[in-house]
Amino acid sequence: MSQPAAAALAQLVERAEALAYDVEYSAVRAWKERHPGALAIGFVPVWAPRELIAACGALPVGVVGGGDKVEIIKGDACYQSYVCHLPRSVVELGLNGRLDCLDGMLFPSICDVIRNLSGVWKLLFPNKLSHYLDLPQDFDPEIGGDFFRAELAQLVELLVARGARRPTPASWRQAITEHNENRHLVEELHALRREQPWRVPTSEAYVVARAGCVLPATEHSALLRDYLALVRAVPRAPLDNARVVVAGAFCEQPPLDLLKTLERAGCYIVGDDFLLAPRFVRADVPLEGDPLAAIANTWLAHAQPHASVWTRAGTKGDDLVALARKAGAEGVLFAAPSFCDPALLDQPMQEAACGRAGLPHMHFKYSENSGQFQGIREQAGTFADAIKLWSGA
Amino acid sequence: MEPLLTGGIDVGSSAVKLVLMRTDGAGREELLGRRVERLRRRDPLEVATRCWHDELLPEAGVRPDEVAYVATTGEGDRIEFRTGHFYGMTAHARGALFLRPGARAVVDIGGLHARAFTIDERAKVLVQAMTSQCASGSGQFLENIARFLGVTLEEIGALSRRSEKPEKCSSICAVLAETDVINMVSRGIKVEDILHGIHDSMAGRYVRLLLTAGARGEVLVTGGLAADTGLVAAMRDDAQRQGSTLEIASHPDSVLAGAIGAALWGAHRQRVLAKRGVVLRADPA
């Protein structure tokens, strides 16, 4: 059983990696060919109402940058050197025609750079939908909730105006059900990794999760189900590694080799904030009642604490400590993209919270196209050793 | 406490070092088997696996399942049968303490770089300093020089110590130093004088590294170049010239320090994990 399962697992991971890093967005193009006239709507990190897009008959597509697959030639012209790398590679992908399969792009309000990118997008692609999605910072359902519902209603109208179908009760129900299920499976993936990290290396879990950026929820759920079944069937030996949470990598994504480097350096990543879209809201969207209000209110009540979401003074970092405790982590690696304002501005407060909680931590920076990790490997290696040998763990 | 067998595998850029150790958890630590295999452009993982399973363990009469913990260090973090991995400096620190209990500083001179660091009596690394990217402070550099001069690595130390008039090597850049050496050969400088000059140049860098790391007292040279008696002697001379009180020494097993340290840390971790009831075994699917 284990030999064929191991081969099937390797094949699945290979397929997921191909999907995750395909800068031609072939899966999206194929989906559009199978659904003539249907829209594909991109969104940059960290969150977008995927249920809403799907209820309109469109494909939500996560655009998380070009990583090291894209040489930046035109993208640099739009951004100063002190700006992170993600917008450069997204612009490069757009100008090279790789995002032509998308009929629109959503830019959630997470930082000034993303706001600026939404403006640049409007100028570069005037004929495509380009929408800056304001996320609420007031959590009173009658204030923030009403505002957010109106934002979502406006998005439906924008999509319909572009040729998407107007959602029906049946399409709402189907889309919400499919995305709730996908959320459950993503959570199951992370839960298994927390419990048995040797079974679910982060470098695998990451590509399996990232493949969901270009797949409809049902297809991604099938991939997740297959992966979960296979990793449970393949024997893998646990290592004497330090259990760590990685924080700060929620927008510009860490290179896959960086994740492999951290694991090889002796770390089990048992918690992270990569690819948050399917797990940003930590609860099901209810099927009953007004779907727009349901999405808005679920977001208000269950969006995870995040740099882009208002947090009560003095509590910044508490969620990270709670995540680390839940995951049984022995330390925190702050891994922020260079020039990522939200991550780097929160970091001192999060580090202070870790300090108060007695959680060892260290920090480093990366860029989505970084290719050399020797320095990080040494840092992570000594950090893992310090946890194992000197922290009393 | 129950005696434990643990293995240490140090995969370096030019050689793989393997040891088998027995510890009792009460201070008794015994080196049962050792192996140093030069890579010579072979796959290091393949070499390490073969040396471990086909040579070291059979020679010691030990079955793989009798080894409680296989600890890797260096580039050994891709060895499939490892139990845990320790960073090179951590492993060399512990290995140095095993080989020379009074050592409070280590200079690890490997194939690609050199690193000096101070340690405490528990082998905890305190301060470290490392050579820059340039290869002039590395074993690979010395290997290249030996090749130009037509001598083997094993001959270098004795030849260098025979020198009466070391030729100063003016450069600290590997590329330029190699040019220097070619010029010296053309000028008819004796091989031993060239080697001594090279040793002096390298020794100066290592002593500076040690002083940068705040080293005092006993220093153990570890890594592949620790076996080069000419280099160690040059380091002692350099330290003396600088008025330092560093007591620089090598050990016949210095090249194994990383593997020894990894094996000893592995034994420590195995006992810690056992106390916590953690068993690191492949779980059946």
Side-chain angles (χ1 to χ4, degrees):
Chain A
M1 170 64 189
S2 68
Q3 283 294 340
L9 177 60
Q11 267 179 9
L12 184 148
V13 172
E14 196 179 329
R15 181 181 154 233
E17 187 173 337
L19 285 165
Y21 292 96
D22 176 18
V23 289
E24 302 299 334
Y25 290 81
S26 313
V28 177
R29 292 174 199 278
W31 182 88
K32 289 190 78 169
E33 276 175 24
R34 295 197 305 273
H35 300 83
L39 306 183
I41 303 296
F43 63 91
V44 295
V46 290
W47 179 87
R50 299 186 308 152
E51 303 87 341
L52 182 154
I53 298 166
C56 293
L59 177 69
V61 179
V63 177
V64 291
D68 61 357
K69 310 285 181 204
V70 178
E71 189 185 356
I72 308 299
I73 296 166
K74 300 165 191 161
D76 276 343
C78 300
Y79 291 96
Q80 300 90 334
S81 56
Y82 51 81
V83 170
C84 59
H85 200 271
L86 176 115
R88 305 165 198 278
S89 68
V90 172
V91 165
E92 195 74 31
L93 287 168
L95 290 176
N96 283 346
R98 269 123 167 207
L99 298 177
D100 284 356
C101 55
L102 302 181
D103 301 285
M105 280 281 274
L106 304 182
F107 301 90
S109 58
I110 67 161
C111 70
D112 290 345
V113 171
I114 294 294
R115 179 188 287 272
N116 176 275
L117 178 60
S118 75
V120 168
W121 209 260
K122 273 197 171 105
L123 293 171
L124 292 176
F125 306 103
N127 298 324
K128 299 244 180 176
L129 170 66
S130 174
H131 182 62
Y132 186 70
L133 182 68
D134 266 313
L135 302 177
Q137 300 294 338
D138 183 305
F139 297 87
D140 181 339
E142 291 188 2
I143 301 172
D146 285 353
F147 158 78
F148 199 26
R149 190 200 174 284
E151 277 289 300
L152 297 175
Q154 185 200 2
L155 179 56
V156 171
E157 295 309 320
L158 289 170
L159 293 175
V160 169
R162 291 276 166 173
R165 75 174 178 222
R166 187 168 292 283
T168 63
S171 74
W172 273 119
R173 174 167 283 275
Q174 184 183 351
I176 291 173
T177 303
E178 288 170 359
H179 283 85
N180 281 345
E181 187 192 23
N182 185 250
R183 189 177 297 114
H184 290 174
L185 286 160
V186 170
E187 177 46 37
E188 190 180 335
L189 175 72
H190 289 284
L192 183 60
R193 187 185 59 165
R194 275 197 300 275
E195 289 155 19
Q196 298 179 317
W198 56 94
R199 279 204 190 282
V200 187
T202 291
S203 47
E204 275 185 21
Y206 179 80
V207 295
V208 172
R210 184 162 166 165
C213 289
V214 294
L215 295 175
T218 48
E219 282 184 41
H220 186 230
S221 293
L223 184 77
L224 285 164
R225 250 184 248 105
D226 290 347
Y227 178 75
L228 288 164
L230 286 169
V231 288
R232 286 182 171 118
V234 173
R236 282 175 162 172
L239 295 173
D240 181 21
N241 279 357
R243 295 171 64 95
V244 300
V245 163
V246 177
F250 47 81
C251 183
E252 183 175 319
Q253 294 296 294
L256 186 57
D257 282 342
L258 171 57
L259 303 182
K260 290 179 180 171
T261 296
L262 296 178
E263 293 186 313
R264 280 179 54 194
C267 297
Y268 276 141
I269 300 171
V270 291
D272 63 58
D273 54 7
F274 318 144
L275 304 166
L276 288 177
R279 52 188 174 131
F280 198 81
V281 179
R282 294 162 162 173
D284 279 355
V285 176
L287 287 164
E288 300 76 29
D290 169 23
L292 291 173
I295 296 172
N297 290 329
T298 310
W299 197 97
L300 287 189
H302 300 288
Q304 65 166 273
H306 186 261
S308 63
V309 179
W310 180 82
T311 309
R312 193 158 46 83
T315 62
K316 189 73 91 174
D318 290 355
D319 58 297
L320 177 60
V321 172
L323 170 69
R325 295 280 184 247
K326 181 181 172 189
E330 300 161 301
V332 174
L333 298 177
F334 288 98
S338 293
F339 303 110
C340 175
D341 280 353
L344 292 168
L345 288 171
D346 271 14
Q347 197 169 294
M349 291 172 275
Q350 291 176 313
E351 284 186 308
C354 288
R356 287 193 297 274
L359 263 177
H361 52 278
M362 58 155 264
H363 56 85
F364 59 83
K365 290 199 271 289
Y366 67 87
S367 177
E368 62 174 347
N369 64 341
S370 300
Q372 289 291 330
F373 305 110
Q374 185 56 26
I376 292 173
R377 182 181 172 207
E378 292 191 4
Q379 271 185 283
T382 47
F383 183 69
D385 285 356
I387 286 174
K388 288 195 290 189
L389 300 173
W390 308 113
S391 75
Chain B
M1 271 187 268
E2 188 81 6
L4 274 185
L5 290 177
T6 58
I9 303 177
D10 179 4
V11 178
S13 54
S14 52
V16 175
K17 288 80 73 177
L18 306 95
V19 298
L20 180 68
M21 300 206 70
R22 179 163 49 212
T23 59
D24 68 357
R28 196 183 159 127
E29 296 161 342
E30 201 182 347
L31 185 53
L32 298 181
R34 52 169 77 72
R35 185 106 203 155
V36 178
E37 184 81 9
R38 286 188 63 75
L39 286 170
R40 304 187 204 285
R41 298 188 182 177
R42 289 176 293 171
D43 175 10
L45 300 184
E46 211 175 278
V47 172
T49 304
R50 183 180 49 75
C51 287
W52 177 253
H53 287 292
D54 301 343
E55 294 171 17
L56 189 65
L57 290 186
E59 281 164 19
V62 170
R63 295 192 315 271
D65 63 338
E66 290 178 295
V67 181
Y69 194 115
V70 178
T72 57
T73 187
E75 300 296 319
D77 52 10
R78 282 185 296 134
I79 289 178
E80 289 287 333
F81 57 91
R82 76 191 185 280
T83 317
H85 181 80
F86 296 95
Y87 180 55
M89 199 163 41
T90 314
H92 275 261
R94 185 65 185 87
L97 216 57
F98 171 80
L99 296 171
R100 195 173 173 93
R104 291 297 174 267
V106 180
V107 55
D108 163 25
I109 313 171
L112 289 183
H113 57 72
R115 190 192 302 268
F117 48 96
T118 52
I119 59 175
D120 67 11
E121 70 287 354
R122 301 166 300 166
K124 185 173 185 179
V125 175
L126 304 175
V127 180
Q128 69 105 13
M130 190 175 169
T131 50
S132 58
Q133 299 287 332
C134 178
S136 62
S138 73
Q140 186 62 53
F141 166 65
L142 201 57
E143 209 168 302
N144 292 348
I145 297 295
R147 204 166 46 242
F148 293 142
L149 298 176
V151 298
T152 66
L153 285 173
E154 291 72 23
E155 291 172 314
I156 287 177
L159 276 170
S160 167
R161 297 187 78 175
R162 281 217 300 266
S163 161
E164 289 172 351
K165 196 180 165 199
E167 183 72 11
K168 195 171 166 53
C169 179
S170 61
S171 171
I172 58 161
C173 163
V175 175
L176 297 180
E178 284 171 13
T179 311
D180 274 359
V181 169
I182 291 165
N183 288 340
M184 289 179 204
V185 172
S186 318
R187 280 160 41 216
I189 308 288
K190 284 191 204 165
V191 168
E192 50 260 47
D193 293 337
I194 296 173
L195 285 171
H196 199 141
I198 293 284
H199 276 154
D200 281 345
S201 157
M202 293 170 76
R205 300 190 77 192
Y206 302 146
V207 171
R208 277 196 299 279
L209 271 186
L210 281 163
L211 296 175
T212 304
R216 286 183 195 174
E218 290 184 45
V219 177
L220 186 72
V221 185
T222 66
L225 288 201
D228 182 343
T229 52
L231 178 62
V232 177
M235 288 173 71
R236 277 196 208 105
D237 293 346
D238 192 273
Q240 209 171 18
R241 269 199 300 276
Q242 294 198 38
S244 148
T245 56
L246 294 177
E247 298 167 43
I248 298 171
S250 184
H251 186 283
D253 284 329
S254 271
V255 67
L256 295 164
I260 291 171
L264 291 174
W265 282 134
H268 167 75
R269 280 297 291 172
Q270 180 65 23
R271 290 197 164 87
V272 169
L273 294 170
K275 260 190 213 162
R276 290 161 51 186
V278 177
V279 181
L280 294 173
R281 290 232 172 84
D283 49 352

